[in-house]
Structure formats: C-alpha cells, structure tokens
Amino acid sequence: MTATPDLPRPRERRQRVQAAETSMAVLKALGELGGRAGLSVIAARIEESPAKVHRYLVSLMEGGLVGQDAATQQYFLGLETLLLGLAAMRQADPIRLAEASLIRLREALEVTCFVAVMGNKGPTIVRFEEPGLPVTVNVRVGSVLSMLWSATGQVLLATLDETAVRALAEAELEAATAEQRAMLHADDPIGALQRSVQAAGCAVVRDTNLRGISAVSAPIYNYAGRPCAVLTALGATGGFDPSADGRVGLAVRQEAQAISHLLGNT
C-alpha cells in the first residue's frame, strides 16, 4: 500500500501563501523604486515593518533574486531577477499581445483594425481584423503603407528618429501631387506633421491614403520606450469619426497603451 504524503495543514498553506505574497511585494517595490533602495524605503513602500522586510530580503538574497551593496547597504535586484526579466522580454511579442486589442476594437466599434511594423520598404501590416460587415479596402497582411498619407506611416514618422524613415517620407514628398502637397504645411511639411502627431499622441487621416476611408493610429512602445508597432482602426469616412478625441481615437489610444504596458512600457 502506497503511503500518502503529508499535506500541509490549512494554516501552513496560508502562511506559505502570505510569505510568497510578501516576497513578491518586496521585489515589485524594488522594481518600482528603480531597482535599488534602502531597507526603510522598501518597508515604507509596502507598508511593512523594516524587521519583517529584512527577513524576506535575506531569503531573496539567498536565492540570488536580490543583492546588497556593501558600501551603501542598499538592496538591488539580483542576477536571477535580471535573467527572469530577460526571459519575459524575449516573449514580449507586440503582434501576439495586440490580438486581444484588435478583437476588442473590432467588436466594440465594428471597425477594421490592424497592427503594422516598420519594414525595409515602409509601414507593413502584420495582423488584420475585420468586422462582420467589413469596409472594402485594398490593404491586407503584407501591404506596405505610405509614410505621409497613411495614419500608420505618420505615427512611425513622428516617433521613429531614423534616417531611413525620414528618407522614405522625403521620397514620397518629392513625388507628391499638388493636391497632396496642399494637405501639408507649406514651409515645413514633414516637421509640422511630426509635431502634430506627437502633440495628439496619435495620427488621423481623412480620404488621404484611400478615397472614402478615414483612419486613426497610435504608437505601441516596448519596454525601452521605443516604438515597435502601430495600432490602426479605419472605416468609411461617412460613418467614421477619426478625430483624436472621438470614440474611435480614444479607444485606439487606450488599446495601444494597454499593449505597451504588456510589453513592459510603464
């Protein structure tokens, strides 16, 4: 007959859960405090006594999750915590993490929406969602969008400080028609566009990239604060409000911020 292993009693289980919760609170506090802080500061952060926090810090140090500076006596996030963070960052895929946001936008607003990233030829759609009654547009996964005339491109132009991005925009400006140029600032077409998008936190277009189609886009940032993708919603101009503070604009910005947060951007 196989002996049944002794299971922890309910009180012991509660104590173990409480200990794990306190340990996590200490680690989170260190992270929120910039990764390094003194005992009293950490204790105040989680509203526990310094003596209690010290006991948990000692245990975390034994596990390599926390270290202590001999000179200042401050505690800091240890190597094992760094390795955990690196593993989490490797899994932080903006395309995968954006799927829930795309579905929420599609269902709540009944709009076509997609995620795009900067490719070597320009903004490229990598994930696409359509409502039950989709708007007819000639863009799909793999489509490359304009830097100047699409909301997606305007966001990347405003947030990516890269020579290649600027060069693509300047090439489009050089080839623009008089009608297209009239949509931009006369003296500083690219600079004024960048500043406008930066001030609004998103880009909006009406009938510029596709006739009869309006769109609003917002940037997605990674843990380092670098724009890594763009979230866009579009619809027929007649029934779609692409204003920055409209229903669609607010929803797109909120979802982009939510994805950024999942990527570690705080």
Side-chain angles (χ1 to χ4, degrees):
M1 182 175 180
T2 305
T4 303
D6 292 334
L7 298 175
R9 296 177 181 178
R11 182 179 178 182
E12 293 175 344
R13 288 199 296 270
R14 287 197 299 272
Q15 289 174 337
R16 291 181 184 181
V17 170
Q18 290 171 354
E21 289 176 345
T22 303
S23 295
M24 287 188 290
V26 170
L27 284 174
K28 288 181 179 179
L30 263 176
E32 293 166 358
L33 292 166
R36 176 181 290 264
L39 173 61
S40 60
V41 176
I42 299 170
R45 185 79 174 193
I46 65 173
E47 298 180 344
E48 294 284 1
S49 70
K52 180 177 180 178
V53 171
H54 179 261
R55 292 197 301 271
Y56 284 94
L57 284 167
V58 169
S59 295
L60 291 168
M61 288 171 65
E62 290 174 352
L65 294 166
V66 170
Q68 186 177 26
D69 189 317
T72 65
Q73 297 301 303
Q74 286 189 324
Y75 296 91
F76 57 87
L77 295 175
L79 176 60
E80 292 299 325
T81 307
L82 172 63
L83 295 175
L84 286 172
L86 290 172
M89 286 188 291
R90 283 194 290 269
Q91 297 182 73
D93 177 5
I95 302 169
R96 177 178 61 84
L97 294 176
E99 289 181 0
S101 291
L102 289 172
I103 292 171
R104 282 194 293 267
L105 288 173
R106 181 196 69 191
E107 294 181 351
L109 303 177
E110 297 183 345
V111 295
T112 297
C113 48
F114 60 81
V115 173
V117 298
M118 190 64 199
N120 58 355
K121 295 183 178 179
T124 305
I125 297 175
V126 292
R127 187 75 165 77
F128 195 90
E129 286 288 339
E130 290 182 306
L133 295 174
V135 176
T136 302
V137 292
N138 60 346
V139 292
R140 287 292 182 271
V141 170
S143 295
V144 178
L145 305 173
S146 163
M147 292 300 309
L148 291 178
W149 317 117
S150 72
T152 304
Q154 290 180 9
V155 165
L156 290 170
L157 180 61
T159 56
L160 279 176
D161 184 19
E162 295 182 1
T163 303
V165 174
R166 177 83 183 198
L168 287 171
E170 289 176 346
E172 287 186 14
L173 183 62
E174 185 69 23
T177 64
E179 182 182 4
Q180 288 175 319
R181 283 179 171 272
M183 300 177 187
L184 302 173
H185 191 281
D187 297 326
D188 186 15
I190 293 178
L193 181 59
Q194 290 173 316
R195 291 189 293 273
S196 173
V197 173
Q198 290 164 359
C202 64
V204 300
V205 298
R206 297 176 178 83
D207 304 318
T208 57
N209 190 49
L210 298 168
R211 290 292 183 185
I213 300 296
S214 292
V216 57
S217 299
I220 296 170
Y221 294 95
N222 64 15
Y223 67 94
R226 176 179 171 78
C228 58
V230 178
L231 181 64
T232 298
L234 59 83
T237 296
F240 182 94
D241 176 15
S243 59
D245 295 324
R247 183 185 177 206
V248 176
L250 289 172
V252 169
R253 294 209 309 278
Q254 288 170 355
E255 293 292 351
Q257 290 169 0
I259 301 166
S260 299
H261 182 72
L262 292 175
L263 288 168
N265 181 267
T266 56

